[in-house]
């Protein structure tokens, strides 16, 4: 059980999504809920928000789209510890239990997939199914992990010296998002606005406190996951497709879905194929 006393403090409708805030005392988490049915918790990627899941629907499921701390409509606490992985996992469990109870499916994309994986290793008894989209198990080699931490620190300093618009432009042009340039200008603009909306302080602290440079390596712990799991990647994203095939796809309770003509962000680049894979997994395993 969580040591935080939490309460749902406000709800309202926004673009067919019900907006809710969960109060954790000194700060609150924002989330949106879409659809009706069994709870499906959705965690977004770095610099995104729960609205990245707009357009993703699964009949019979309610998508509970949480804004991680410092992102979207969640608060931006001054306490740096709130951005750390242990604190985030603890707070997410408090929020999820408040809105979904103790039985739900969990889905995460990119940074959200890393958090979902770590969360499942800690709170696995609550999770009926686990969906990971383009996620990592962490960096095994200590030197390589430290190199990544230093790179994240460098980027964090750059972000602090600029603004959200600078970051959104830079992030859109990193190689892993090259395939997103094929998306319509309207979708690209929505992605840009979500990224630019973020506080530079929150982005920098997220990199420092919960980025891949500080994430513990959990590749040797995957057999601890007892729930049914699926890993979804885009064929154009060769790095994460390799992870899906060679790391997750070899496990007895995991299977790997590779979506053709999609890159890192499958649910945005190929939403129809993503929803088909998601529904097939949930209906078969649910």
């Amino acid at each position: 059980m969580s040591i935080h006393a939490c309460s749902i403090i406000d709800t309202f409708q926004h673009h067919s999504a019900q907006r809710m805030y969960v109060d954790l005392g000194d700060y609150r988490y924002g989330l949106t809920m879409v659809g009706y049915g069994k709870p499906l918790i959705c965690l977004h990627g770095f610099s995104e928000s729960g609205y990245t899941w707009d357009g993703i629907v699964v009949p019979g499921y309610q998508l509970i789209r949480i804004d991680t701390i410092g992102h979207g409509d969640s608060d931006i606490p001054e306490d740096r510890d709130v951005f750390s992985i242990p604190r985030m996992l603890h707070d997410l469990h408090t929020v999820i239990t408040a809105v979904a109870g103790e039985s739900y499916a969990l889905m995460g994309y990119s940074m959200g997939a890393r958090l979902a994986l770590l969360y499942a290793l800690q709170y696995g008894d609550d999770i009926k199914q686990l969906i990971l989209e383009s996620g990592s198990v962490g960096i095994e080699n200590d030197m390589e992990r430290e190199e990544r931490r230093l790179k994240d620190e460098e980027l964090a300093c750059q972000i602090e010296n600029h603004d959200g618009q600078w970051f959104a432009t830079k992030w859109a042009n990193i190689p892993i998002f090259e395939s997103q340039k094929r998306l319509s200008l309207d979708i690209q603009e929505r992605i840009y606005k979500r990224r630019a909306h973020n506080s530079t302080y929150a982005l920098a602290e997220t990199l420092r406190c919960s980025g891949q440079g500080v994430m513990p390596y959990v590749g040797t712990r995957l057999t601890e996951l007892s729930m049914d799991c699926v890993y979804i990647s885009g064929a154009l994203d060769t790095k994460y497709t390799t992870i899906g095939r060679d790391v997750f796809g070899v496990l007895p309770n995991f299977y790997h879905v590779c979506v053709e003509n999609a890159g890192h962000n499958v649910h945005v680049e190929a939403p129809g194929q993503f929803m088909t894979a998601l529904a097939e997994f949930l209906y078969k395993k649910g």
Side-chain angles (χ1 to χ4, degrees):
M1 297 293 292
S2 169
I3 62 172
H4 281 311
C6 71
S7 60
I8 297 168
I9 60 175
D10 192 19
T11 64
F12 62 90
Q13 297 293 321
H14 180 76
H15 299 303
S16 77
Q18 183 185 14
R19 164 63 64 184
M20 178 182 293
Y21 295 94
V22 179
D23 184 8
L24 297 184
D26 294 332
Y27 51 90
R28 65 183 187 174
Y29 269 72
L31 58 93
T32 51
M33 298 188 296
V34 175
Y36 301 92
K38 299 176 183 178
L40 172 57
I41 309 301
C42 308
L43 303 179
H44 59 78
F46 176 63
S47 79
E48 271 282 1
S49 75
Y51 289 110
T52 186
W53 303 106
D54 280 355
I56 301 300
V57 294
V58 184
Y61 282 83
Q62 181 179 60
L63 275 65
I64 301 174
R65 313 174 321 176
I66 298 174
D67 294 338
T68 55
I69 199 68
H71 288 68
D73 287 331
S74 288
D75 283 349
I76 307 170
E78 294 182 1
D79 182 1
R80 294 186 64 206
D81 182 62
V82 178
F83 293 91
S84 70
I85 290 174
R87 183 73 168 270
M88 287 177 69
L89 296 179
H90 180 271
D91 287 348
L92 283 170
H93 188 244
T94 302
V95 171
I96 292 169
T97 302
V99 298
E102 297 180 349
S103 179
Y104 43 84
L106 176 63
M107 175 168 67
Y109 155 68
S110 196
M111 179 187 80
R114 292 191 291 108
L115 288 173
L117 175 58
L118 295 173
Y119 184 98
L121 288 168
Q122 188 163 329
Y123 301 107
D125 289 345
D126 296 348
I127 302 170
K128 293 179 65 67
Q129 299 96 17
L130 178 64
I131 304 101
L132 303 178
E133 177 191 356
S134 305
S136 166
V137 295
I139 301 171
E140 182 175 11
N141 182 275
D142 291 343
M143 291 184 62
E144 291 177 1
R145 192 184 318 113
E146 176 63 11
E147 288 175 1
R148 177 56 186 263
R149 188 192 68 79
L150 292 174
K151 288 181 180 178
D152 284 349
E153 174 62 29
E154 181 182 5
L155 177 58
C157 291
Q158 291 177 335
I159 293 171
E160 288 174 326
N161 290 326
H162 293 85
D163 56 20
Q165 290 75 24
W166 175 89
F167 168 78
T169 300
K170 178 179 178 62
W171 208 238
N173 286 288
I174 64 175
I176 203 169
F177 294 130
E178 182 65 27
S179 56
Q180 290 190 4
K181 294 178 180 178
R182 306 178 307 165
L183 296 170
S184 70
L185 294 179
D186 176 64
I187 293 176
Q188 290 187 59
E189 179 66 15
R190 276 183 272 167
I191 295 171
Y192 173 87
K193 287 181 177 179
R194 287 197 298 267
R195 290 170 174 162
H197 172 75
N198 284 284
S199 153
T200 54
Y201 163 79
L203 291 175
E205 291 307 312
T206 300
L207 284 170
R208 291 183 175 116
C209 302
S210 52
Q212 295 215 48
V214 295
M215 174 186 173
Y217 175 71
V218 294
T220 57
R221 297 184 57 196
L222 300 181
T223 55
E224 297 176 26
L225 299 171
S226 59
M227 72 288 293
D228 290 310
C229 312
V230 63
Y231 187 98
I232 302 174
S233 66
L236 300 178
D237 181 0
T238 56
K239 174 182 176 179
Y240 285 90
T241 291
T242 299
I243 291 174
R245 182 191 66 222
D246 297 345
V247 177
F248 291 98
V250 298
L251 299 171
N253 57 325
F254 259 97
Y255 74 94
H256 175 214
V257 175
C258 181
V259 176
E260 295 298 323
N261 298 314
H264 189 62
N265 194 335
V266 184
H267 72 268
V268 168
E269 297 179 41
Q273 292 164 279
F274 181 86
M275 283 189 285
T276 296
L278 180 59
E280 287 179 352
F281 170 71
L282 290 172
Y283 296 156
K284 179 179 179 180
K285 302 297 184 180

